[in-house]
Amino acid sequence: YIKNLNFSTTEDTLREVFSKHANHVLAVKIPQKTAPLRKGDASGITRTLSMGFGFVECDSEASMRKAIKALQGVVIDGHALELKRSTKIVAQKKSTVATPANTKNTKLMIRNVPFQATRKEILKLFGSFGQLKKVRLPKKFDGTHRGFAFVEFLTAQEALSAMNALSRTHLYGRHLVLEWASDKDDLDTLREKAKRDMVASEKPKNKKIRFQ
């Protein structure tokens, strides 16, 4: 268990630091929370922030003790680490936020895209993680988009960075659902997925019946 983390410290940084003192690091987790929108920010894009603490799981008791002894009070990103033993298991479950089966995959599919979002906003959001080759926001006959989009990066590492960083991002109040895109993603299948996402995200409304 690590306290007093700088909010800018990443899981990759912790993994690199602990790997120098532990035989093998099994998992690293820094809990995140949704950051409030800045005053005057009309983009509707929300980001997540570190909660200032984290967990590192080592391969053995000996590795854990060695890491605590070596890194207690060590300064990372301007903050002195406070370490203690924890019984929390942080080995991450398999999910879409992971290295794709095809490590050369550079394409992401974004579902549950709010209808007021524009291609320019999608490009700006994902473009901060690397060079984009293509951004598609399929549209209907009336000119509005279908609730899903595709982005293709120049490299697989850029795509992976975007996947991991934006998996908990909300846009105009909707949680963006990120998946690795494949050639099997036909339009009819995606239309059905988009329809399900929009229905699931709608909050139930109380209906009042007035008797005359």
Side-chain angles (χ1 to χ4, degrees):
Y1 174 61
I2 306 105
K3 291 174 57 180
N4 197 37
L5 286 177
N6 189 311
F7 292 130
S8 65
T9 299
T10 65
E11 292 177 354
D12 286 341
T13 298
L14 277 186
R15 181 178 293 275
E16 181 181 354
V17 171
F18 275 78
S19 293
K20 295 177 181 178
H21 302 280
N23 295 331
H24 182 58
V25 175
L26 298 178
V28 178
K29 180 66 177 178
I30 298 178
Q32 306 282 317
K33 63 180 178 180
T34 302
L37 290 174
R38 295 179 179 177
K39 186 176 181 180
D41 185 357
S43 67
I45 300 174
T46 58
R47 295 290 185 91
T48 55
L49 292 175
S50 162
M51 295 181 70
F53 63 90
F55 301 90
V56 173
E57 185 173 351
C58 300
D59 62 336
S60 68
E61 181 83 12
S63 289
M64 178 204 67
R65 293 184 182 278
K66 180 181 177 183
I68 290 179
K69 183 177 180 180
L71 296 173
Q72 191 71 262
V74 168
V75 176
I76 297 180
D77 296 327
H79 285 221
L81 300 184
E82 298 179 22
L83 284 72
K84 70 176 183 178
R85 188 180 188 280
S86 171
T87 57
K88 181 179 178 67
I89 298 175
V90 295
Q92 299 171 352
K93 297 180 180 179
K94 292 182 179 179
S95 68
T96 54
V97 187
T99 303
N102 177 6
T103 56
K104 294 183 180 181
N105 198 343
T106 59
K107 300 178 183 178
L108 297 178
M109 178 174 68
I110 306 100
R111 298 193 287 114
N112 203 31
V113 177
F115 289 121
Q116 63 265 49
T118 65
R119 180 181 179 277
K120 185 177 180 180
E121 288 173 325
I122 297 296
L123 192 153
K124 181 179 179 182
L125 178 60
F126 284 84
S128 61
F129 295 92
Q131 187 173 343
L132 293 171
K133 291 175 63 177
K134 188 183 298 183
V135 176
R136 288 199 302 122
L137 196 60
K139 294 185 178 181
K140 296 185 286 189
F141 293 113
D142 61 3
T144 60
H145 69 75
R146 298 182 180 275
F148 57 87
F150 295 93
V151 295
E152 182 177 358
F153 286 88
L154 191 63
T155 69
Q157 182 57 51
E158 292 171 341
L160 181 61
S161 295
M163 168 69 88
N164 289 332
L166 298 177
S167 62
R168 292 180 291 272
T169 295
H170 288 70
L171 183 61
Y172 290 109
R174 290 190 184 275
H175 173 236
L176 298 181
V177 180
L178 275 63
E179 298 177 358
W180 294 106
S182 69
D183 295 334
K184 294 185 295 183
D185 291 321
D186 59 86
L187 191 58
D188 289 337
T189 300
L190 296 176
R191 284 174 181 169
E192 186 60 30
K193 286 183 178 180
K195 183 179 179 180
R196 290 200 304 266
D197 289 337
M198 291 301 174
V199 171
S201 62
E202 291 293 334
K203 294 182 178 180
K205 297 180 180 179
N206 294 325
K207 296 182 178 180
K208 297 181 178 179
I209 300 176
R210 179 176 296 177
F211 295 93
Q212 298 292 343

Short mmCIF file of all heavy atoms in Angstrom, two decimals, residues 114-148:
data_model
loop_
_atom_site.label_atom_id
_atom_site.label_comp_id
_atom_site.label_asym_id
_atom_site.label_seq_id
_atom_site.Cartn_x
_atom_site.Cartn_y
_atom_site.Cartn_z
N PRO A 114 -22.29 10.32 -27.38
CA PRO A 114 -23.50 11.17 -27.31
C PRO A 114 -23.76 11.84 -28.66
O PRO A 114 -22.84 12.17 -29.40
CB PRO A 114 -23.15 12.21 -26.24
CG PRO A 114 -21.66 12.21 -26.17
CD PRO A 114 -21.23 10.81 -26.48
N PHE A 115 -25.03 12.01 -29.00
CA PHE A 115 -25.39 12.51 -30.32
C PHE A 115 -24.94 13.95 -30.55
O PHE A 115 -24.77 14.37 -31.70
CB PHE A 115 -26.90 12.38 -30.54
CG PHE A 115 -27.34 10.95 -30.71
CD1 PHE A 115 -28.27 10.39 -29.84
CD2 PHE A 115 -26.83 10.16 -31.71
CE1 PHE A 115 -28.67 9.07 -29.99
CE2 PHE A 115 -27.22 8.84 -31.88
CZ PHE A 115 -28.15 8.29 -31.01
N GLN A 116 -24.73 14.73 -29.48
CA GLN A 116 -24.28 16.10 -29.67
C GLN A 116 -22.77 16.20 -29.90
O GLN A 116 -22.26 17.26 -30.23
CB GLN A 116 -24.69 16.99 -28.49
CG GLN A 116 -24.10 16.60 -27.14
CD GLN A 116 -25.02 15.72 -26.35
OE1 GLN A 116 -25.52 14.73 -26.88
NE2 GLN A 116 -25.26 16.06 -25.09
N ALA A 117 -22.05 15.10 -29.70
CA ALA A 117 -20.60 15.10 -29.92
C ALA A 117 -20.29 15.18 -31.40
O ALA A 117 -21.00 14.63 -32.24
CB ALA A 117 -19.98 13.84 -29.33
N THR A 118 -19.21 15.87 -31.74
CA THR A 118 -18.81 16.04 -33.13
C THR A 118 -17.53 15.28 -33.44
O THR A 118 -16.81 14.86 -32.53
CB THR A 118 -18.58 17.52 -33.45
OG1 THR A 118 -17.46 18.00 -32.67
CG2 THR A 118 -19.80 18.36 -33.10
N ARG A 119 -17.27 15.11 -34.71
CA ARG A 119 -16.03 14.45 -35.14
C ARG A 119 -14.82 15.22 -34.64
O ARG A 119 -13.81 14.64 -34.25
CB ARG A 119 -15.99 14.33 -36.66
CG ARG A 119 -14.72 13.65 -37.19
CD ARG A 119 -14.74 13.59 -38.72
NE ARG A 119 -13.52 12.95 -39.21
CZ ARG A 119 -12.36 13.59 -39.36
NH1 ARG A 119 -12.27 14.88 -39.04
NH2 ARG A 119 -11.29 12.95 -39.83
N LYS A 120 -14.91 16.54 -34.64
CA LYS A 120 -13.81 17.38 -34.18
C LYS A 120 -13.49 17.13 -32.72
O LYS A 120 -12.32 17.09 -32.32
CB LYS A 120 -14.15 18.87 -34.40
CG LYS A 120 -13.02 19.82 -34.05
CD LYS A 120 -13.42 21.26 -34.36
CE LYS A 120 -12.28 22.22 -34.00
NZ LYS A 120 -12.66 23.63 -34.28
N GLU A 121 -14.51 16.93 -31.89
CA GLU A 121 -14.31 16.66 -30.47
C GLU A 121 -13.68 15.29 -30.25
O GLU A 121 -12.81 15.13 -29.39
CB GLU A 121 -15.65 16.77 -29.73
CG GLU A 121 -16.16 18.19 -29.60
CD GLU A 121 -17.55 18.27 -29.02
OE1 GLU A 121 -18.37 17.37 -29.29
OE2 GLU A 121 -17.83 19.23 -28.28
N ILE A 122 -14.11 14.30 -31.03
CA ILE A 122 -13.51 12.96 -30.95
C ILE A 122 -12.04 13.03 -31.35
O ILE A 122 -11.17 12.44 -30.71
CB ILE A 122 -14.27 11.97 -31.84
CG1 ILE A 122 -15.72 11.81 -31.36
CG2 ILE A 122 -13.57 10.61 -31.87
CD1 ILE A 122 -15.86 11.21 -30.01
N LEU A 123 -11.77 13.76 -32.43
CA LEU A 123 -10.39 13.91 -32.91
C LEU A 123 -9.51 14.58 -31.86
O LEU A 123 -8.38 14.15 -31.60
CB LEU A 123 -10.39 14.71 -34.21
CG LEU A 123 -9.10 14.72 -35.02
CD1 LEU A 123 -9.43 14.95 -36.51
CD2 LEU A 123 -8.14 15.80 -34.56
N LYS A 124 -10.04 15.61 -31.22
CA LYS A 124 -9.28 16.34 -30.20
C LYS A 124 -9.00 15.47 -28.98
O LYS A 124 -7.89 15.47 -28.44
CB LYS A 124 -10.04 17.60 -29.78
CG LYS A 124 -9.32 18.45 -28.74
CD LYS A 124 -10.13 19.69 -28.41
CE LYS A 124 -9.42 20.54 -27.36
NZ LYS A 124 -10.22 21.74 -26.99
N LEU A 125 -10.01 14.70 -28.56
CA LEU A 125 -9.88 13.86 -27.37
C LEU A 125 -8.85 12.76 -27.58
O LEU A 125 -7.96 12.55 -26.76
CB LEU A 125 -11.24 13.25 -27.03
CG LEU A 125 -11.30 12.30 -25.83
CD1 LEU A 125 -10.87 13.01 -24.56
CD2 LEU A 125 -12.71 11.74 -25.67
N PHE A 126 -8.94 12.04 -28.70
CA PHE A 126 -8.04 10.92 -28.95
C PHE A 126 -6.71 11.36 -29.55
O PHE A 126 -5.69 10.68 -29.38
CB PHE A 126 -8.72 9.90 -29.86
CG PHE A 126 -9.75 9.07 -29.16
CD1 PHE A 126 -11.04 9.54 -28.99
CD2 PHE A 126 -9.43 7.83 -28.64
CE1 PHE A 126 -12.00 8.80 -28.32
CE2 PHE A 126 -10.36 7.07 -27.97
CZ PHE A 126 -11.65 7.57 -27.81
N GLY A 127 -6.71 12.51 -30.20
CA GLY A 127 -5.48 13.00 -30.82
C GLY A 127 -4.41 13.39 -29.82
O GLY A 127 -3.23 13.50 -30.17
N SER A 128 -4.78 13.56 -28.56
CA SER A 128 -3.79 13.92 -27.54
C SER A 128 -2.92 12.74 -27.16
O SER A 128 -1.94 12.89 -26.42
CB SER A 128 -4.50 14.47 -26.30
OG SER A 128 -5.37 13.50 -25.74
N PHE A 129 -3.24 11.53 -27.68
CA PHE A 129 -2.46 10.34 -27.33
C PHE A 129 -1.58 9.84 -28.48
O PHE A 129 -0.89 8.84 -28.34
CB PHE A 129 -3.40 9.22 -26.87
CG PHE A 129 -4.11 9.54 -25.60
CD1 PHE A 129 -5.36 10.14 -25.62
CD2 PHE A 129 -3.52 9.29 -24.37
CE1 PHE A 129 -6.02 10.48 -24.45
CE2 PHE A 129 -4.16 9.62 -23.20
CZ PHE A 129 -5.41 10.21 -23.23
N GLY A 130 -1.61 10.55 -29.58
CA GLY A 130 -0.75 10.15 -30.69
C GLY A 130 -1.28 10.66 -32.02
O GLY A 130 -2.27 11.39 -32.09
N GLN A 131 -0.60 10.25 -33.08
CA GLN A 131 -0.98 10.70 -34.42
C GLN A 131 -2.10 9.81 -34.97
O GLN A 131 -1.98 8.59 -35.01
CB GLN A 131 0.23 10.65 -35.36
CG GLN A 131 -0.04 11.24 -36.73
CD GLN A 131 1.22 11.32 -37.56
OE1 GLN A 131 2.32 11.23 -37.03
NE2 GLN A 131 1.06 11.48 -38.86
N LEU A 132 -3.18 10.43 -35.39
CA LEU A 132 -4.33 9.70 -35.89
C LEU A 132 -4.28 9.58 -37.41
O LEU A 132 -4.05 10.56 -38.12
CB LEU A 132 -5.63 10.39 -35.47
CG LEU A 132 -5.95 10.40 -33.98
CD1 LEU A 132 -7.13 11.30 -33.69
CD2 LEU A 132 -6.25 8.99 -33.49
N LYS A 133 -4.52 8.39 -37.91
CA LYS A 133 -4.58 8.17 -39.35
C LYS A 133 -6.00 8.40 -39.88
O LYS A 133 -6.18 8.88 -41.00
CB LYS A 133 -4.15 6.73 -39.69
CG LYS A 133 -2.68 6.45 -39.45
CD LYS A 133 -2.36 4.99 -39.69
CE LYS A 133 -2.59 4.59 -41.14
NZ LYS A 133 -2.20 3.19 -41.39
N LYS A 134 -6.97 8.05 -39.04
CA LYS A 134 -8.35 8.15 -39.50
C LYS A 134 -9.31 8.26 -38.32
O LYS A 134 -9.11 7.63 -37.29
CB LYS A 134 -8.71 6.92 -40.33
CG LYS A 134 -10.05 6.97 -41.03
CD LYS A 134 -10.34 5.66 -41.76
CE LYS A 134 -9.33 5.39 -42.85
NZ LYS A 134 -9.66 4.15 -43.61
N VAL A 135 -10.34 9.09 -38.48
CA VAL A 135 -11.41 9.21 -37.50
C VAL A 135 -12.73 9.12 -38.25
O VAL A 135 -12.98 9.93 -39.15
CB VAL A 135 -11.34 10.53 -36.71
CG1 VAL A 135 -12.54 10.66 -35.77
CG2 VAL A 135 -10.05 10.63 -35.92
N ARG A 136 -13.57 8.15 -37.91
CA ARG A 136 -14.86 7.98 -38.59
C ARG A 136 -15.99 8.05 -37.58
O ARG A 136 -15.94 7.42 -36.53
CB ARG A 136 -14.92 6.65 -39.33
CG ARG A 136 -14.06 6.61 -40.57
CD ARG A 136 -14.51 5.48 -41.51
NE ARG A 136 -14.48 4.16 -40.89
CZ ARG A 136 -15.52 3.36 -40.79
NH1 ARG A 136 -16.71 3.74 -41.24
NH2 ARG A 136 -15.40 2.16 -40.23
N LEU A 137 -17.02 8.81 -37.93
CA LEU A 137 -18.22 8.93 -37.11
C LEU A 137 -19.40 8.66 -38.05
O LEU A 137 -19.99 9.59 -38.61
CB LEU A 137 -18.31 10.33 -36.50
CG LEU A 137 -19.26 10.56 -35.33
CD1 LEU A 137 -18.90 9.68 -34.16
CD2 LEU A 137 -19.24 12.02 -34.90
N PRO A 138 -19.73 7.37 -38.30
CA PRO A 138 -20.78 7.01 -39.26
C PRO A 138 -22.08 7.76 -39.02
O PRO A 138 -22.52 7.92 -37.87
CB PRO A 138 -20.96 5.51 -39.03
CG PRO A 138 -19.63 5.06 -38.53
CD PRO A 138 -19.15 6.17 -37.65
N LYS A 139 -22.68 8.23 -40.11
CA LYS A 139 -23.90 9.04 -40.00
C LYS A 139 -25.11 8.35 -40.60
O LYS A 139 -25.00 7.47 -41.44
CB LYS A 139 -23.67 10.40 -40.67
CG LYS A 139 -22.65 11.27 -39.96
CD LYS A 139 -22.56 12.64 -40.59
CE LYS A 139 -21.57 13.52 -39.84
NZ LYS A 139 -21.47 14.89 -40.42
N LYS A 140 -26.26 8.82 -40.16
CA LYS A 140 -27.54 8.34 -40.70
C LYS A 140 -27.95 9.24 -41.86
O LYS A 140 -27.29 10.23 -42.19
CB LYS A 140 -28.60 8.37 -39.59
CG LYS A 140 -28.29 7.42 -38.43
CD LYS A 140 -29.41 7.38 -37.42
CE LYS A 140 -29.46 8.62 -36.56
NZ LYS A 140 -30.41 8.50 -35.43
N PHE A 141 -29.07 8.91 -42.49
CA PHE A 141 -29.53 9.67 -43.66
C PHE A 141 -29.87 11.11 -43.31
O PHE A 141 -29.77 12.00 -44.16
CB PHE A 141 -30.76 8.99 -44.28
CG PHE A 141 -30.45 7.67 -44.90
CD1 PHE A 141 -30.96 6.49 -44.35
CD2 PHE A 141 -29.65 7.57 -46.03
CE1 PHE A 141 -30.68 5.27 -44.92
CE2 PHE A 141 -29.36 6.35 -46.60
CZ PHE A 141 -29.87 5.19 -46.05
N ASP A 142 -30.26 11.36 -42.05
CA ASP A 142 -30.63 12.73 -41.67
C ASP A 142 -29.43 13.58 -41.26
O ASP A 142 -29.58 14.73 -40.84
CB ASP A 142 -31.67 12.71 -40.54
CG ASP A 142 -31.14 12.04 -39.27
OD1 ASP A 142 -29.96 11.63 -39.25
OD2 ASP A 142 -31.92 11.92 -38.30
N GLY A 143 -28.23 13.00 -41.35
CA GLY A 143 -27.03 13.77 -41.06
C GLY A 143 -26.51 13.61 -39.65
O GLY A 143 -25.38 14.00 -39.36
N THR A 144 -27.30 13.04 -38.74
CA THR A 144 -26.82 12.81 -37.37
C THR A 144 -26.02 11.51 -37.34
O THR A 144 -26.22 10.61 -38.17
CB THR A 144 -28.00 12.70 -36.38
OG1 THR A 144 -28.85 11.61 -36.77
CG2 THR A 144 -28.80 13.99 -36.38
N HIS A 145 -25.11 11.40 -36.37
CA HIS A 145 -24.29 10.19 -36.32
C HIS A 145 -25.02 9.06 -35.60
O HIS A 145 -26.05 9.26 -34.95
CB HIS A 145 -22.93 10.48 -35.71
CG HIS A 145 -22.94 10.79 -34.25
ND1 HIS A 145 -23.11 9.85 -33.29
CD2 HIS A 145 -22.78 11.98 -33.59
CE1 HIS A 145 -23.07 10.41 -32.08
NE2 HIS A 145 -22.88 11.71 -32.24
N ARG A 146 -24.47 7.85 -35.67
CA ARG A 146 -25.14 6.65 -35.21
C ARG A 146 -24.81 6.26 -33.76
O ARG A 146 -25.25 5.22 -33.29
CB ARG A 146 -24.82 5.48 -36.14
CG ARG A 146 -25.30 5.70 -37.56
CD ARG A 146 -25.00 4.51 -38.44
NE ARG A 146 -25.48 4.73 -39.79
CZ ARG A 146 -26.73 4.49 -40.19
NH1 ARG A 146 -27.62 4.03 -39.33
NH2 ARG A 146 -27.10 4.72 -41.44
N GLY A 147 -24.00 7.06 -33.08
CA GLY A 147 -23.71 6.75 -31.68
C GLY A 147 -22.45 5.93 -31.47
O GLY A 147 -22.19 5.46 -30.37
N PHE A 148 -21.66 5.74 -32.53
CA PHE A 148 -20.38 5.06 -32.38
C PHE A 148 -19.38 5.67 -33.36
O PHE A 148 -19.75 6.37 -34.31
CB PHE A 148 -20.50 3.55 -32.59
CG PHE A 148 -21.08 3.15 -33.93
CD1 PHE A 148 -20.25 3.00 -35.04
CD2 PHE A 148 -22.43 2.92 -34.08
CE1 PHE A 148 -20.77 2.63 -36.27
CE2 PHE A 148 -22.96 2.55 -35.31
CZ PHE A 148 -22.13 2.40 -36.41
#
